[in-house]
Amino acid sequence: MVLLLLSNATLHAQCTVTAPTAITGPSSLCFGTGGTMLNAVGGSEGGGCQYQWGTGSVIGSNIITGAVSSLYVNPSVTTTYWVRRQGWWPCTAPTGGVTFTITVGSVSTPPTSISNASTLCHNTTSTTLTAIGGTAGSGSYYQWGTGYSVGDNIIGGANGPSITVNPSVGTAYWVRRVDPAPCNRTTGGPTITLSVPSTAPTSITGPATLCYTEGGAFLYAHGGIEGTNSQYEWGTGTVIGSNVITTSTINSLYINPMAPTDYWVRRIDPAPCGGITAGVTFHVDAFTFSSSPTAISGITTICKGTSTTLTATGGAEGSNAYYEWGTGWSVGDNIIPGENNVSIVVSPAVTTIYWVRRIDRAPCARTSYGPTVTVTVPLPVTWSGSAWSSPPTPTTPIIVAGNLDLTSNLRVCSCDVINTAMFKIHPSATLTVTRNVSVVPAATLMVESSGSLVQVDDVGTFTGSMTIKRDSAPMKAYDYTYWSAPVWSWRLSQLSPLTLNDKYYSWDPAINNWSLIMNGNAAMQRGKGYIVRAPQGWSLTNATSGVYTGMFTGNANTGTIPVVLQKATSGLNLIGNPYPSAIDMEQFLRDPVNSGLVNGTVYLWTHNTAISSLIPGNWMYNYTADDYAKFNLTGGVRSAATAITGGALPDGKIASGQAFFIETNTALANGNYTVYFRNNMRVEGNNGAFYRTAAHNPTTGSVATGLAQTSDKNRLWLSLSNANGAFSQVLLGYVAGATNGFDNLYDGKTFAGSNPVMFYTVSGTDTYSIEGRGLPFNPNDVVPMGYKSTIAGSFSIAIDDTDGFFPGQVVYLIDKLTNVQHSLKTSAYHFTTAAGTFNNRFELRFSNASDAKPEGETAAGSKPETMVFSADGALQVLASTEIVSVIVYDLNGRKIAALNDLHTSDYRTVNPSAIGTIVLVKTTLKDGSVNASKVILK
């Protein structure tokens, strides 16, 4: 109450409060970093007052309560503050005030990504990167840089949200925001990897040659662009991408190859580029060291003048090595120039020591040492006339200084017959000489019939003269024998001086006939064949002692002997064995030169019984029903039944002095062609079989041989024969090398002789005594068979022999005349025939024939056939069904015989009229069919 009583003057004296003149404090703040104090200054507080703060530009608005002379503020946005004073009562009127504005800055948050990716593939000329996400503070700007650490490598001037870049290598980029005052701070930020795709390496460096076991080396990839985080891929081979090596993914590769190797390299980019470049290759020639050979193989004892092949064995041959050979005990001495292979052919004149070693060329470049071997060249051994100075061997030369009878086989290096020695090679004995034979003029070398002299090397020589005896097959006065000379320049007249002067012949293909050599006044050419008749007055009655011993004296044939074949009117040529030993015709036929020049069948006449006037035939003296023996690569066929005449199956060995026919290849044009005999065709032994030729009327020639059975031959021998000795054999073979067409070395055509029967296979218009067919065998095969006969009567067809698969294979003979199927494995097939040629009557099958009937049955629907002929003083009628009647008429129509109710399919009656009469035969069969035939009664 007391105060209320004061006077106005007193009150005015107390109200001295004036407005603040200023507010102090920071004019700017960064929100979120803490507030600040504002202070009111200036003016007078008077006797006491209170402060009043507020916000806004209008003083008095938005009063902030509880304020004093200072005010803590923490605005989030720019704010204007005011302050004034207000005295206490009674001076409560507020003063004027002052304002103060605080500018508030906001804080940026970091961008969250760059172009919404962590990696990008930069494969264009430029790429724009854009910061994405976060918030921009007041006045903030962007800052870009490179590297994975934000803040490093700032890119000047790049302050916007995007940046365009064109790096040449893979680069990491970052971005952040920068807040200026008042915040003055930077944010963190994201990074992005801008990957650059790789380009192919352009080269590989490293050693082009290496020696294995000396350690490897590194290859390095160069050139091109190495993309971001790319890896290298290495491999081997010339095809890039093959044979990947997984041990290295960097630009280098350790290698240690054992052999020449091609390497390649390329680059592989991971995502985001994710590509594989092309590559580049590099060839490394790698070589290995040699180790020493451990031995030398080969024949170490040889005949003087021959050679042996020595071969280094054992150890390891380096990949860039060569061999060095020499002589002597010390390896490295006496080097043989030019001998740098694993084998060497040597021909020492005396016993010699050989060595071998291996030498490695660069980069290995070293020499190994090796073994030695002694090649022994034996000294000659001498026969004194009673004993050898040392036992002879195949590699020792022999000197025959005294008489020597050789009764068993002897193989030697060379043979010299000296002084006045008589060296006789007895029958069935063989002297085999690797190299040379020499006979001085005072000495004698004689080979008895069926004895042999074989020289092995084609370069071996024969010096001097020798005598060779050859016994013919038994002959009579009009027999001819095929001859071929085993020596030089022996005349036909010297071979058989007592033969009539017009009975010496050679064969001339130009006229397809024999050519007379009058008086035998011609030297027998090497490899050419001749026929010579038996000496005049030769026995006609002594069939067993009619052997003629031909003698040949001169320089023996040896080595390679050319023989000219002529193809003209005929392709047949008469040639012969030119050596004093047997030859193997298989080797002749397989010779690379000969095989294409000949039809590979040889023909030999094989009379097993003597010529006689008692044997029926067209001449005063005739042979038995023999045929030509034949041989080719399928096999051989004999000329007579073994049981009748002892006919032998040719084995392919042609005896010394023997001539034979062979035909020039059908496919060749007319002209002259040269075949060759060679020493490698000569064989030991096998020199006893001596064939002879046709008799009094030489019109054809012959040959034959035979092959040993082998596993690739499957053969069937069949024969056609009768009880009187007529015989013909045919060979069918399924053999390797043959086809079902004509094969000149496997198919042998028939060769006409004096044989009354001929049996063969039929192919088109050709007939074969030997037919080779191709493998594999087809059991459904059908082989047409034919025959030719000059006589009518009863015959049989039988299996003579089989080999290969034929012993277990069924064989059926189909008689198409009677429509009968007969198993030849069960028995021979018996039939009756007229004289003539029948190429459609028979066929061979190897499975049941549904269109034929078993023997003894009648085939339904088959057309009956009839055959009428006369033989042996009788009239014979053969039909495929039952015969009811046979009526015989003469040419005037007069019935001279009537035969009824016969009920047989094979009727034979006595001659109804005189021999030589022509009759008509009417045959009525069970089915009512009638056949009429004209027959000459014989």
Side-chain angles (χ1 to χ4, degrees):
M1 289 299 289
V2 175
L3 292 175
L4 294 174
L5 294 178
L6 292 177
S7 64
N8 285 335
T10 302
L11 290 173
H12 270 294
Q14 293 175 342
C15 294
T16 58
V17 177
T18 60
T21 57
I23 298 173
T24 62
S27 61
S28 62
L29 283 177
C30 182
F31 178 74
T33 60
T36 186
M37 296 295 295
L38 297 180
N39 295 295
V41 296
S44 172
E45 290 183 353
C49 65
Q50 59 182 355
Y51 286 82
Q52 199 174 58
W53 294 83
T55 60
S57 58
V58 177
I59 296 171
S61 62
N62 307 314
I63 296 171
I64 300 170
T65 61
V68 292
S69 62
S70 61
L71 177 68
Y72 177 79
V73 295
N74 189 14
S76 61
V77 295
T78 298
T79 303
T80 300
Y81 291 91
W82 55 263
V83 67
R84 63 185 177 180
R85 293 187 181 104
Q86 182 178 22
W88 302 107
W89 186 88
C91 301
T92 58
T95 67
V98 293
T99 60
F100 185 81
T101 299
I102 297 176
T103 301
V104 177
S106 60
V107 178
S108 297
T109 61
T112 57
S113 70
I114 300 174
S115 297
N116 285 323
S118 60
T119 58
L120 286 176
C121 182
H122 173 67
N123 52 14
T124 61
T125 55
S126 63
T127 298
T128 298
L129 304 177
T130 300
I132 297 175
T135 57
S138 303
S140 67
Y141 59 90
Y142 291 88
Q143 194 173 65
W144 293 86
T146 61
Y148 288 100
S149 181
V150 177
D152 288 349
N153 309 312
I154 296 171
I155 301 172
N159 301 121
S162 297
I163 184 173
T164 298
V165 295
N166 186 21
S168 59
V169 296
T171 304
Y173 291 88
W174 56 262
V175 66
R176 65 183 179 183
R177 289 187 173 99
V178 179
D179 292 328
C183 292
N184 289 321
R185 60 173 289 180
T186 57
T187 67
T191 61
I192 188 171
T193 299
L194 197 60
S195 298
V196 175
S198 297
T199 61
T202 58
S203 65
I204 299 173
T205 61
T209 59
L210 282 177
C211 185
Y212 181 74
T213 73
E214 283 193 334
F218 280 94
L219 300 181
Y220 296 92
H222 298 277
I225 297 174
E226 187 172 333
T228 306
N229 296 324
S230 66
Q231 293 183 335
Y232 289 81
E233 187 173 67
W234 294 84
T236 60
T238 56
V239 177
I240 295 172
S242 62
N243 309 312
V244 174
I245 299 171
T246 60
T247 56
S248 178
T249 56
I250 59 177
N251 72 329
S252 62
L253 176 70
Y254 176 78
I255 62 169
N256 192 16
M258 295 181 64
T261 304
D262 289 290
Y263 293 91
W264 56 262
V265 67
R266 63 184 179 183
R267 292 186 175 106
I268 297 179
D269 291 328
C273 292
I276 299 176
T277 70
V280 63
T281 61
F282 185 76
H283 181 77
V284 177
D285 281 319
F287 304 96
T288 55
F289 279 125
S290 295
S291 59
S292 299
T294 58
I296 298 174
S297 65
I299 298 172
T300 56
T301 300
I302 65 169
C303 165
K304 183 177 180 179
T306 64
S307 61
T308 183
T309 299
L310 303 179
T311 301
T313 61
E317 182 177 337
S319 52
N320 197 21
Y322 63 94
Y323 291 82
E324 196 168 64
W325 292 84
T327 60
W329 283 109
S330 181
V331 176
D333 288 349
N334 308 312
I335 295 170
I336 302 173
E339 295 294 344
N340 302 121
N341 297 316
V342 65
S343 297
I344 183 175
V345 178
V346 297
S347 182
V350 296
T351 298
T352 303
I353 298 168
Y354 293 88
W355 56 260
V356 67
R357 63 184 179 184
R358 293 185 178 107
I359 297 178
D360 294 317
R361 299 180 180 89
C364 296
R366 77 174 196 178
T367 301
S368 66
Y369 286 83
T372 62
V373 69
T374 300
V375 177
T376 302
V377 181
L379 297 174
V381 299
T382 301
W383 174 259
S384 65
S386 59
W388 291 103
S389 59
S390 294
T393 71
T395 58
T396 54
I398 63 170
I399 298 172
V400 180
N403 293 348
L404 174 61
D405 289 319
L406 185 65
T407 58
S408 60
N409 292 350
L410 177 63
R411 297 181 182 181
V412 298
C413 171
S414 62
C415 176
D416 292 315
V417 186
I418 64 173
N419 301 333
T420 59
M422 163 63 82
F423 185 3
K424 182 182 293 185
I425 302 172
H426 282 250
S428 301
T430 299
L431 173 65
T432 301
V433 181
T434 301
R435 294 288 288 179
N436 304 331
V437 177
S438 174
V439 183
V440 301
T444 302
L445 175 59
M446 179 178 291
V447 179
E448 297 286 355
S449 186
S450 79
S452 301
L453 169 63
V454 175
Q455 287 182 260
V456 176
D457 287 355
D458 277 335
V459 295
T461 61
F462 186 97
T463 305
S465 180
M466 69 178 296
T467 297
I468 302 160
K469 297 180 180 180
R470 289 300 301 160
D471 289 344
S472 73
M475 294 192 300
K476 290 195 174 181
Y478 301 108
D479 272 346
Y480 282 81
T481 296
Y482 282 7
W483 293 99
S484 177
V487 299
W488 281 75
S489 300
W490 194 243
R491 307 185 80 78
L492 288 165
S493 58
Q494 292 173 295
L495 172 63
S496 183
L498 298 181
T499 293
L500 283 181
N501 59 3
D502 62 348
K503 297 299 182 273
Y504 303 93
Y505 294 91
S506 62
W507 178 261
D508 187 354
I511 61 174
N512 194 30
N513 210 330
W514 297 103
S515 176
L516 173 65
I517 304 172
M518 182 60 70
N519 299 317
N521 189 24
M524 301 176 73
Q525 299 177 31
R526 297 192 304 167
K528 185 176 177 66
Y530 303 87
I531 65 170
V532 179
R533 201 171 80 172
Q536 189 69 7
W538 205 250
S539 171
L540 277 174
T541 59
N542 189 346
T544 59
S545 62
V547 172
Y548 177 76
T549 300
M551 296 185 64
F552 301 87
T553 299
N555 187 276
N557 295 325
T558 190
T560 299
I561 297 177
V563 178
V564 174
L565 299 184
Q566 184 180 5
K567 186 175 183 185
T569 304
S570 167
L572 284 173
N573 286 260
L574 184 63
I575 64 176
N577 179 356
Y579 302 115
S581 65
I583 58 172
D584 185 342
M585 281 306 294
E586 180 174 4
Q587 296 301 317
F588 177 88
L589 296 175
R590 291 189 184 279
D591 182 273
V593 175
N594 300 345
S595 61
L597 299 180
V598 297
N599 287 340
T601 301
V602 293
Y603 301 87
L604 289 163
W605 193 258
T606 58
H607 293 307
N608 296 290
T609 58
I611 194 169
S612 172
S613 61
L614 300 178
I615 298 173
N618 298 320
W619 307 95
M620 180 181 298
Y621 300 98
N622 293 287
Y623 288 105
T624 55
D626 296 337
D627 193 9
Y628 290 97
K630 307 166 189 74
F631 169 80
N632 61 24
L633 295 187
T634 299
V637 292
R638 58 170 53 94
S639 61
T642 304
I644 298 175
T645 64
L649 185 71
D651 64 356
K653 307 304 186 294
I654 302 294
S656 175
Q658 175 75 65
F660 53 88
F661 269 109
I662 196 165
E663 189 176 20
T664 309
N665 193 327
T666 306
L668 296 176
N670 286 357
N672 293 336
Y673 303 91
T674 302
V675 295
Y676 294 90
F677 291 97
R678 310 180 197 275
N679 275 356
N680 68 348
M681 302 171 187
R682 298 169 72 169
V683 293
E684 297 179 351
N686 295 283
N687 206 19
F690 197 83
Y691 298 96
R692 63 184 185 186
T693 184
H696 48 277
N697 185 31
T699 57
T700 55
S702 65
V703 300
T705 55
L707 277 175
Q709 297 176 8
T710 59
S711 59
D712 57 357
K713 294 185 178 180
N714 309 275
R715 298 178 292 188
L716 173 68
W717 283 266
L718 300 173
S719 64
L720 171 70
S721 63
N722 68 5
N724 297 321
F727 179 89
S728 180
Q729 188 177 67
V730 63
L731 168 59
L732 175 68
Y734 289 83
V735 298
T739 69
N740 286 0
F742 175 72
D743 304 296
N744 65 307
L745 299 180
Y746 295 89
D747 295 322
K749 295 182 180 180
T750 54
F751 196 74
S754 59
N755 194 6
V757 295
M758 188 182 297
F759 192 31
Y760 42 78
T761 65
V762 180
S763 178
T765 59
D766 293 322
T767 58
Y768 297 98
S769 295
I770 304 173
E771 182 177 354
R773 297 175 76 87
L775 292 171
F777 170 68
N778 182 356
N780 295 318
D781 218 356
V782 176
V783 181
M785 304 292 295
Y787 67 95
K788 182 177 182 181
S789 178
T790 62
I791 54 177
S794 297
F795 287 85
S796 63
I797 295 174
I799 294 175
D800 289 341
D801 201 359
T802 60
D803 68 6
F805 59 65
F806 269 113
Q809 174 63 46
V810 295
V811 179
Y812 295 106
L813 182 71
I814 308 299
D815 187 338
K816 296 193 288 185
L817 174 64
T818 62
N819 201 32
V820 165
Q821 171 180 285
H822 178 81
S823 172
L824 292 177
K825 284 297 187 75
T826 302
S827 63
Y829 179 69
H830 302 282
F831 68 100
T832 304
T833 184
T837 300
F838 304 92
N839 288 348
N840 297 304
R841 179 167 181 178
F842 294 114
E843 64 186 22
L844 284 182
R845 297 194 185 186
F846 308 104
S847 58
N848 272 310
S850 59
D851 54 346
K853 64 183 176 66
E855 211 163 358
E857 296 181 11
T858 301
S862 61
K863 182 180 179 181
E865 296 190 42
T866 305
M867 182 182 294
V868 181
F869 53 94
S870 176
D872 302 326
L875 180 69
Q876 188 161 359
V877 181
L878 176 67
S880 59
T881 188
E882 186 176 299
I883 301 169
V884 174
S885 66
V886 174
I887 303 174
V888 183
Y889 302 89
D890 62 18
L891 290 181
N892 295 319
R894 183 172 60 88
K895 184 187 296 184
I896 57 178
L899 309 163
N900 298 307
D901 299 323
L902 299 179
H903 305 296
T904 180
S905 61
D906 186 355
Y907 181 74
R908 182 182 177 94
T909 183
V910 294
N911 205 347
S913 184
I915 291 177
T917 303
I918 299 175
V919 297
L920 299 176
V921 180
K922 178 182 177 182
T923 305
T924 303
L925 303 181
K926 182 179 180 180
D927 67 346
S929 61
V930 177
N931 175 270
S933 303
K934 182 186 291 185
V935 179
I936 299 176
L937 300 176
K938 298 181 180 179

